[in-house]
Structure formats: C-alpha cells, structure tokens
Amino acid sequence: MRAQRGEIGAEFQGELSSCRACRLRPKKQAMTAVIYFGEILVAVLLGTVLFAISPLGPISELSLFVGGVVTLTLAEYLVHRFVLHGFAPTEHRLHHAHPDRAVLTIFWQIWICFALVYLIAGGAFVAGALVAYAWYLFVHHCAHHGPDKLPAPLLKHHQRHHRLATKNYGVSTTLWDHVFGTMLR
C-alpha cells in the first residue's frame, strides 16, 4: 500500500500540488535503479577491499566492522529525523509528497564523511559503515520501487513513516525508533 496525498504528514501538504518537475518517466526510473545499484556496488566493493586490507587481527576487525554498522544506522536515523525533517526539509518534503518519484541524487556528502572517518577510525570501521549504507540504499529503493523484495515489517515501517512523518525515521532498521521512542505502534 503506497502513501496517498492525504496520508502524509501535515507539514508536507503544501508541497503536494507544486511538483510538476518530479514526474517519473521510464528513463528516470531506469536511471534511479542505475544510480542506486551503482552506488550500492561501489559501497560493497570498497567495503570489501577496506576490510580485506585492514592490518588488525580478526577480533578487532570484526568489532570495528560491527561498530561501523551500528554507527551508520544511528547516523541515518539522526540525519533523517533532525536534518531532513528539521533543518533542511524542502527536498525531503517533495520525496514525501511523491514517494514513487525518482531520486536522482547521490549524496556526495556521505562519501566525504566516509573518507574522513577512514582517516580517524580505519578501514574495518568504514567497511561496516559502507555495508550498512548499501543496505540503506537497497531498502529505500525497494520500499518505493520494489516492495516485494523487502521483509514485510521493514516495508510497513517505512510506509507508515510516509503516512505520519513524525514517526518511524529509521529506514534500514527499526532499532533506533525503538530506542528513541519514535516507533509508530
């Protein structure tokens, strides 16, 4: 079940009728898949290389990898909640108003963050973050363009967020919504 115009958060109602440029054409839909899955491929390959060349022992590598996964999912939650729904909501409102439209943006800022975190925390940590980012990209793309490919609870979680934009900020996991009390029950 996809979000309808009347089902999104009240703060997004003004954006509903003003997005003529957002109409999805077959070319843009194909480009969306290329961008998402190209970025997923780059993230997974880079993560694999960074993990493989990490000079640490297996226990340290695994611990840092898991730390990277946990940190990325937390960062995803915080950015979605406080930046995309707080400080810089304009583009994100369009996404909520038209959830099936193509998202043709690569968030280059996250790649700069990955490079900076690599300098601080090393390859195994960034490898975990990259794998978590790839999962985020997959989940978000499938939630809007291939819902049959996602576990039902994760899909419903994201669909509920589009209906009530003040809850369910996690995309790749529901963990942080449980921790911070933003889970829609």
Side-chain angles (χ1 to χ4, degrees):
M1 180 176 177
R2 305 275 167 127
Q4 300 297 313
R5 281 188 173 197
E7 297 178 318
I8 62 171
E11 72 264 32
F12 298 115
Q13 293 297 324
E15 305 290 336
L16 289 174
S17 59
S18 65
C19 188
R20 232 179 307 166
C22 297
R23 292 202 175 93
L24 182 64
R25 295 180 195 102
K27 257 185 178 177
K28 282 191 175 184
Q29 189 174 19
M31 185 55 105
T32 298
V34 167
I35 288 172
Y36 264 87
F37 292 106
E39 197 170 7
I40 288 169
L41 181 63
V42 168
V44 170
L45 290 175
L46 183 57
T48 301
V49 168
L50 290 174
F51 191 78
I53 65 171
S54 179
L56 305 172
I59 301 294
S60 296
E61 281 184 4
L62 187 57
S63 297
L64 285 169
F65 183 89
V66 170
V69 169
V70 170
T71 301
L72 190 283
T73 61
L74 176 60
E76 167 206 315
Y77 172 89
L78 293 172
V79 166
H80 190 188
R81 182 175 179 184
F82 296 110
V83 177
L84 299 180
H85 284 273
F87 300 119
T90 304
E91 289 295 321
H92 197 64
R93 283 182 183 155
L94 293 176
H95 170 64
H96 273 260
H98 304 283
D100 296 331
R101 301 291 194 239
V103 177
L104 299 175
T105 305
I106 294 176
F107 296 104
W108 57 268
Q109 298 92 336
I110 197 166
W111 290 96
I112 291 172
C113 291
F114 287 140
L116 293 173
V117 170
Y118 174 77
L119 296 173
I120 298 165
F125 186 88
V126 174
L130 286 166
V131 168
Y133 181 60
W135 174 246
Y136 159 80
L137 290 171
F138 176 78
V139 169
H140 194 248
H141 178 77
C142 290
H144 297 293
H145 304 287
D148 57 315
K149 294 172 178 60
L150 290 180
L154 200 53
L155 176 62
K156 286 181 181 183
H157 181 79
H158 190 68
Q159 288 173 333
R160 286 178 183 141
H161 171 71
H162 274 267
R163 284 195 292 276
L164 183 62
T166 59
K167 298 285 185 183
N168 292 16
Y169 296 102
V171 174
S172 63
T173 180
T174 63
L175 171 68
W176 301 112
D177 285 301
H178 286 286
V179 169
F180 294 114
T182 54
M183 185 78 173
L184 183 63
R185 305 231 182 252

